[in-house]
Amino acid sequence: MFTRLFAAEWLKLWRRPLAWAMLAIFLGLLALSLVLWTLVVALHEGALGMSITVLRDEQVAEIRRQLSLPGIFGMVLGQVNSTGGILAILLAAGSLGGDYSWGTLRSLLSRAPDRRVYLLAKTMALLLGLLIGVVLGLLVGVLIALIASAWLGLPHELGARDLLVLPIGIARALLIILPYLLLTLASAALGRSTLAGIAGGIIFLIFDIGAGSLTSLGLVNPLIRQVLNLLLQPNINSLVMQNGRLFGLDQALLTNALDPTVLPSPLQATIVVSLYSLLFGYTAWRTIARRDITGAQ
C-alpha cells in the first residue's frame, strides 16, 4: 500500500508546476545570494577597480570561507533552511490542499483507506523532492564557488572528511524543515485547502522567528534561557550553526541569532526538533483521520 501511494504522490509532485516553480525560485535566490556575497568580497578587496569597505575584516574572511570549498556546503545548507524552508511550506500546502480542492484525496483513499500510510507517503515524497532540491542547490553552489575562487583567489581545502560528513549536513537540514512541513500539512488538512496550509505554516514561522529573537534574554537569567530554549527557533538555530561548523564556518560573525552562548546544545536541539515534528505529524494524522473526505471543492 505504501509503495503505491508513494508512487502516486511522487508522480503528482513531479508533474505539479508549483514544484518546479519553487525549485527555480530557490536556485535563483541561492545563485543571487552567492553572487552578491562574491561582489561584497570583490569590492572589499578592490577586485572591481575600487575598494568599498562595508564589513569588518573578520567578517569578510568568514564570507571568503563560505564561498570556498568546503565552506560552500554550509552556506548552501544555511540557505536551504531560510528561503528553502518558506518555499517548502508553500509546496506542502499545495500538495495536500490540492488533494482536497481537486478531489484526488477521496479517490486515493478509496483504493488505500489507511490514512496514516497516505500521510507518510506524502511526507516522504515531499522530503524526496526537497532532497533533490538540496542536491541541485549544492551543485549550483559548488559551481559559483569555483568561479568565485578563480576570480578572487579563494583557497580550497576539500578533503574526504568533508564529503563523508556532507550527508549528515543534508539530513540535518531536512530535519530542520520537517516540523514546518508537518505543521503545514496539518493546517491544510484542518482547513481543507491550500490557503489554510500556507496561512498556518507562514503564521507559525513568523511567530516562531519572533519568539526566537528573544533568545538574547537568556543572557539575563539561566531560567529564562531554559524556557526560551524549549521553543522551536532556538533549537533550529543551533542545528543551523552546527551545519556551518561541520564545514569550518563561524556564522556567529555575521548574525547574532547564531550566538552559541545562548543556544541549546546540539543534542537538545535534535531532540526538541524531533518532538515538535512528532507533535505536528500526529496532529496532521488525527486531523485527516477524523474528518470526512468530500469530493472536489
Side-chain angles (χ1 to χ4, degrees):
M1 185 185 301
F2 172 79
T3 303
R4 293 198 303 271
L5 282 174
F6 176 80
E9 291 300 326
W10 178 249
L11 181 62
K12 288 190 297 179
L13 189 63
W14 181 264
R15 293 185 175 181
R16 190 183 296 270
L18 176 65
W20 293 101
M22 294 299 100
L23 177 61
I25 292 173
F26 168 67
L27 295 179
L29 290 176
L30 173 64
L32 177 61
S33 174
L34 294 176
V35 169
L36 289 177
W37 281 124
T38 302
L39 292 177
V40 168
V41 175
L43 288 171
H44 184 86
E45 299 180 351
L48 294 175
M50 57 181 176
S51 179
I52 301 177
T53 302
V54 295
L55 298 173
R56 301 192 306 271
D57 289 340
E58 61 270 22
Q59 292 177 317
V60 174
E62 173 64 16
I63 297 174
R64 286 174 60 90
R65 285 191 293 270
Q66 293 188 11
L67 291 173
S68 59
L69 293 169
I72 190 64
F73 296 150
M75 171 66 168
V76 171
L77 293 178
Q79 192 78 1
V80 167
N81 294 134
S82 55
T83 57
I86 298 174
L87 297 176
I89 289 175
L90 300 179
L91 181 62
S95 177
L96 184 56
D99 283 351
Y100 280 101
S101 59
W102 297 338
T104 53
L105 179 57
R106 187 174 185 177
S107 175
L108 285 170
L109 294 181
S110 66
R111 295 177 174 84
D114 193 332
R115 301 184 185 188
R116 292 171 299 180
V117 179
Y118 162 77
L119 180 61
L120 178 61
K122 181 172 289 291
T123 303
M124 295 305 295
L126 287 169
L127 288 176
L128 178 58
L130 293 177
L131 175 61
I132 293 175
V134 172
V135 172
L136 291 176
L138 288 170
L139 293 176
V140 170
V142 169
L143 176 61
I144 294 178
L146 292 175
I147 296 173
S149 298
W151 180 26
L152 302 174
L154 305 179
H156 290 303
E157 299 178 356
L158 183 64
R161 176 261 179 197
D162 301 308
L163 297 177
L164 290 174
V165 300
L166 183 57
I168 298 176
I170 294 175
R172 187 181 285 147
L174 293 178
L175 175 63
I176 291 171
I177 293 177
L178 184 59
Y180 300 107
L181 192 75
L182 293 172
L183 176 70
T184 301
L185 293 178
S187 300
L190 182 63
R192 298 180 180 179
S193 69
T194 299
L195 182 59
I198 294 174
I202 296 298
I203 290 174
F204 178 80
L205 180 63
I206 294 173
F207 171 80
D208 190 44
I209 293 175
S213 65
L214 301 176
T215 52
S216 58
L217 294 177
L219 295 173
V220 178
N221 186 287
L223 180 60
I224 296 178
R225 182 190 310 171
Q226 293 177 9
V227 173
L228 290 175
N229 283 347
L230 294 178
L231 299 173
L232 183 58
Q233 191 61 39
N235 294 280
I236 293 292
N237 289 339
S238 177
L239 294 181
V240 170
M241 183 186 67
Q242 291 303 314
N243 257 0
R245 286 183 169 181
L246 201 61
F247 303 103
L249 301 181
D250 183 9
Q251 293 159 315
L253 290 171
L254 300 176
T255 173
N256 293 330
L258 299 180
D259 184 356
T261 61
V262 297
L263 292 178
S265 67
L267 177 59
Q268 176 186 326
T270 302
I271 293 174
V272 170
V273 172
S274 299
L275 289 176
Y276 271 96
S277 299
L278 289 173
L279 174 62
F280 295 150
Y282 176 77
T283 303
W285 169 70
R286 289 291 292 177
T287 303
I288 293 175
R290 300 184 66 177
R291 306 198 72 180
D292 293 334
I293 304 300
T294 59
Q297 299 179 20

